Amino acid sequence: MITSDQAISGNGAHDMIRMTKARLTAGIVIGAGALVASFAVAPGATAAGPDPNAPTQVPSGINAAALPGATVFGDTPADTPVTVSFVLKEQNMQFLAARVEAGIPTSGYLSVGQFAAEYGQPPAHIDALTSYLAGFGITTTVYPNNLDVVASGTAGEFDQALTINEENVQVPQQGFGPVRAQRVYMNKQEPLLPYRLASFVTAILGLSDYGPYVSDVALPNSHDQPQQGSSNGCAAQFGLTNGCHLPSFFASAYDLAPLYARANGSGQTVGIVTLAAVDPGSPEYFWSNIADVNRTGRFTVDNVDGGPGAPSKAAGSGETDLDIEQSGALAPGANVIDYQAPNTDYGFVDAFMTAASQNVASGVSASWGESETYFDAVVRSSAEAAGYAQSFDEAFLEMAAQGQSAFTSTADQGAYTAIADLGTTNLAVGTPSDSPFVTACGATTLPGTTFLSGPAGPATATTTAQRIWGWDYLWGAYAQITGAPVSVIAQFVVAGSGGGYSTLEQLPPYQREVSGAGIYHAVQYLTPVNDTQVAPGLTEPTAWTVNPAPAVTAGVTGDGRAVPDLATDGDPQTGYLVYGTSVGGVTEEGGTSFVDPQLNASAVVIDGYLGHRVGFWNPVMYRAVATGHDAFTQLSTAGTSNDNLFYTGNPGAQYNAGTGLGLPDLAKLASIFGSGR
């Protein structure tokens, strides 16, 4: 076992991360609980096996003191309320993953009780854990899936139960700013449990309340001017730029509208997982006064783990507003549940576990995440448990087993997701969108003209056809209005659809069925330089050199999960209206964070249209494309007019890392789902 006082370095650490993220497609399951059982040397162990009561380390969550610039300023008062989630090991996980990646038929969907009996921990194990914690005065709530035990107590009680010391830590702003400065508590030592309990625990989350996540929402360029002569009625009405569409545009552009004749989401439920509080009344105002839809479904808020606190712009309430507004408008008959949780590792996991354990929402989406590079760095720095990532996989697998469709956004920094949180310039994708058990959503740019104005005068930027979202098309105009060279602009205007290849998750079987998933074409404007050690055993670049006119190159990927799976319009320059009291009223925004709630709403409309749940989209989508039953338009042109700042189209192939399978025709996709292909 790797403990908190052992340096994590070299290839061995990377292999450990890969194992603890459940490399299921390789046919081996080694979760965090299994690692405890395999590697822990328990005091008192004999040839007959380990001592069941021997203290054994368990992977825990964020260690805020290990983050750059963190300062410890004393012990956490013993009476501080603390919520801790014990994520338990999913049984028969290899078998379940194989079923999910192959596509579970409608007839095979499970209830929560059936899932718990087959894949959750047995009641005897759970009773043993809860009884142990009760001995220290800690109360517990067991999720119906038998995979998550949420414990409530004080810092002093958890110190005794887990043989740790909680301390207070001041953590400065991380990355380029999205991860704000925070004052938090955290555990000084790795927690201990008796071996008999540690052997079935994946991770202990919540011993720190640090919030590492940022939403995938993007704003239009600050130099935008109102669109001139626009045919976009929304833009004309509000005097705004191209990023002024309503949800009805999505329904028309991606062929959801024809399904409304038979289904509008009535009888279905949309689940939104978010880490900031909704602005009270904002979604209702948007639906009635801006989107002008006849909402008949109910909207409710479920505060997971006590909720995220008061709404605020800084916390990301605008993200929550838009997710609810978009999904509720596109599925006006559906109920919407806002699963809002604290911006913490335990909060994020518990929100997904809640949506899975309730099994009420037939579609669930989230627009928050972090880069794989950031995750890798904090694991190597002993600032996060490697087993933490497996917790998301467990929740997504449960949803798939129950027929729930799940969607996540892929971030808004193009091929360079780590620039936002770790500040490194390497190619990187985000997590949890890298999970092979969730549908990852990318973004495109619509054709049109952007009008900019700056200190050096006005300029325009025109796109003549829908393309992969990448703001390289704005660089020339931005240089013109500011007087700065493109080589400088390119290093600071880094925005586009998250996409690329995972270094932590393997290429799932369904992606191997289509052409293009294992190859890429690229236009390398930005060449990473200045290699720097950013964590023990991890060296990454921290700067770029710029080539404003790169040639198209081609390459073969490794064996990593490819993201996204599909894409729709999400460039804020051609994006959508949002209403929120915390952001000052009506704004125009974009980002991949629009795509996942829109597709979430589309999923519940399709479910109603077909009369049954569709479940996990990916196996059916990829199989349909591979066998010629296509419901996608692929943006396959290779070159600088169609890229996410690196990856471009794969001519003649069925997949590229900018748009995945491409732009969906949702009516055709519904037909494919209904046919059982």
Side-chain angles (χ1 to χ4, degrees):
M1 158 161 293
I2 296 177
T3 65
S4 58
D5 58 354
Q6 291 175 309
I8 302 177
S9 61
N11 293 332
H14 190 263
D15 290 342
M16 181 69 74
I17 295 168
R18 291 178 63 85
M19 286 191 293
T20 54
K21 283 212 72 183
R23 306 296 127 200
L24 301 171
T25 52
I28 300 175
V29 180
I30 306 181
L35 284 172
V36 171
S38 300
F39 295 106
V41 180
T46 67
D51 179 352
N53 294 311
T56 304
Q57 287 186 337
V58 181
S60 65
I62 288 285
N63 175 1
L67 296 170
T71 303
V72 177
F73 59 95
D75 291 340
T76 303
D79 61 353
T80 302
V82 174
T83 299
V84 174
S85 295
F86 292 78
V87 181
L88 310 183
K89 183 181 176 183
E90 203 164 68
Q91 298 195 104
N92 305 313
M93 196 171 176
Q94 179 183 359
F95 173 72
L96 177 57
R99 289 189 67 211
V100 167
E101 289 177 328
I104 297 175
T106 303
S107 60
Y109 293 152
L110 303 177
S111 68
V112 176
Q114 290 170 326
F115 177 87
E118 191 166 351
Y119 300 109
Q121 282 295 317
H125 283 178
I126 294 173
D127 289 345
L129 175 61
T130 57
S131 296
Y132 174 81
L133 296 172
F136 297 91
I138 297 168
T139 60
T140 52
T141 300
V142 180
Y143 275 52
N145 61 5
N146 284 0
L147 289 179
D148 195 359
V149 176
V150 178
S152 299
T154 65
E157 290 167 344
F158 282 109
D159 284 353
Q160 294 180 48
L162 303 176
T163 318
I164 58 173
N165 293 100
E166 294 272 14
E167 54 188 7
N168 293 332
V169 182
Q170 180 68 41
V171 184
Q173 175 180 297
Q174 300 292 299
F176 279 2
V179 184
R180 65 193 187 283
Q182 300 168 55
R183 177 169 288 196
V184 299
Y185 56 77
M186 51 76 61
N187 51 301
K188 186 176 181 180
Q189 305 89 1
E190 286 294 300
L192 298 177
L193 279 175
Y195 180 86
R196 60 191 169 86
L197 304 178
S199 62
F200 59 82
V201 176
T202 295
I204 300 176
L205 308 176
L207 295 175
S208 174
D209 60 343
Y210 181 69
Y213 301 103
V214 295
S215 70
D216 293 328
V217 67
L219 302 178
N221 191 287
S222 61
H223 292 272
D224 269 8
Q225 296 297 303
Q227 190 178 16
Q228 300 172 14
S230 175
S231 60
N232 180 347
C234 172
Q237 177 182 356
F238 290 94
L240 299 173
T241 62
N242 288 3
C244 189
H245 293 106
L246 297 173
S248 56
F249 171 82
F250 173 94
S252 175
Y254 302 103
D255 209 24
L256 180 67
L259 304 186
Y260 289 147
R262 271 175 43 187
N264 69 350
S266 179
Q268 307 294 322
T269 299
V270 173
I272 300 296
V273 167
T274 187
L275 303 177
V278 64
D279 286 312
S282 290
E284 293 88 346
Y285 183 89
F286 178 86
W287 295 325
S288 298
N289 298 283
I290 298 175
D292 192 24
V293 295
N294 180 25
R295 277 281 303 164
T296 57
R298 290 178 289 106
F299 168 53
T300 57
V301 174
D302 189 333
N303 280 307
V304 178
D305 294 333
S312 77
K313 181 178 180 179
S317 289
E319 175 65 70
T320 304
D321 297 340
L322 79 86
D323 284 12
I324 295 166
E325 290 168 3
Q326 293 292 313
S327 57
L330 286 168
N335 297 329
V336 177
I337 301 178
D338 170 22
Y339 296 105
Q340 54 184 42
N343 188 339
T344 59
D345 54 6
Y346 74 93
F348 204 11
V349 169
D350 285 353
F352 280 116
M353 289 287 188
T354 299
S357 280
Q358 288 182 358
N359 195 21
V360 173
S362 55
V364 179
S365 62
S367 303
W368 300 74
E370 61 189 8
S371 70
E372 282 192 343
T373 311
Y374 179 86
F375 175 79
D376 192 356
V378 294
V379 169
R380 292 171 184 268
S381 301
S382 300
E384 179 61 279
Y388 169 57
Q390 182 176 312
S391 303
F392 290 104
D393 285 347
E394 291 188 15
F396 295 146
L397 282 167
E398 180 183 356
M399 290 182 195
Q402 296 168 175
Q404 296 173 279
S405 305
F407 306 87
T408 56
S409 54
T410 59
D412 301 331
Q413 293 76 40
Y416 301 99
T417 302
I419 194 66
D421 48 24
L422 191 61
T424 57
T425 57
N426 54 294
L427 294 171
V429 299
T431 183
S433 62
D434 61 349
S435 172
F437 313 119
V438 72
T439 299
C441 306
T444 65
T445 297
L446 298 175
T449 298
T450 293
F451 294 83
L452 303 174
S453 181
T460 60
T462 300
T463 55
T464 58
Q466 189 161 188
R467 55 159 287 170
I468 301 168
W469 173 32
W471 267 6
D472 49 284
Y473 77 87
L474 290 179
W475 288 347
Y478 202 91
Q480 188 176 340
I481 67 171
T482 61
V486 170
S487 59
V488 172
I489 297 299
Q491 298 181 62
F492 292 95
V493 183
V494 180
S497 176
Y501 297 88
S502 172
T503 60
L504 302 177
E505 294 278 12
Q506 289 183 343
L507 193 71
Y510 55 78
Q511 288 193 315
R512 299 177 189 275
E513 297 182 28
V514 299
S515 61
I519 62 172
Y520 68 87
H521 287 78
V523 283
Q524 189 160 11
Y525 301 97
L526 305 170
T527 299
V529 295
N530 193 34
D531 287 353
T532 304
Q533 181 171 314
V534 295
L538 180 63
T539 298
E540 297 289 0
T542 56
W544 284 302
T545 60
V546 178
N547 176 4
V552 176
T553 60
V556 178
T557 73
D559 199 35
R561 155 60 156 142
V563 296
D565 295 304
L566 74 175
T568 64
D569 171 42
D571 183 345
Q573 299 299 129
T574 62
Y576 296 85
L577 284 186
V578 177
Y579 179 81
T581 53
S582 67
V583 296
V586 178
T587 58
E588 49 185 342
E589 299 178 2
T592 58
S593 61
F594 277 80
V595 183
D596 63 276
Q598 290 170 336
L599 291 175
N600 185 4
S602 302
V604 304
V605 171
I606 291 172
D607 286 354
Y609 180 82
L610 296 176
H612 61 78
R613 287 183 172 183
V614 169
F616 182 36
W617 279 24
N618 289 16
V620 176
M621 289 194 309
Y622 280 89
R623 188 175 304 120
V625 170
T627 57
H629 301 286
D630 205 342
F632 294 89
T633 299
Q634 183 53 271
L635 304 183
S636 57
T637 299
T640 55
S641 63
N642 185 45
D643 63 85
N644 73 342
L645 307 187
F646 184 81
Y647 297 104
T648 183
N650 273 337
Q654 296 165 316
Y655 181 93
N656 68 57
T659 59
L661 296 174
L663 314 174
D665 182 314
L666 293 166
K668 289 183 179 178
L669 200 54
S671 177
I672 288 171
F673 287 139
S675 69
R677 292 193 180 98

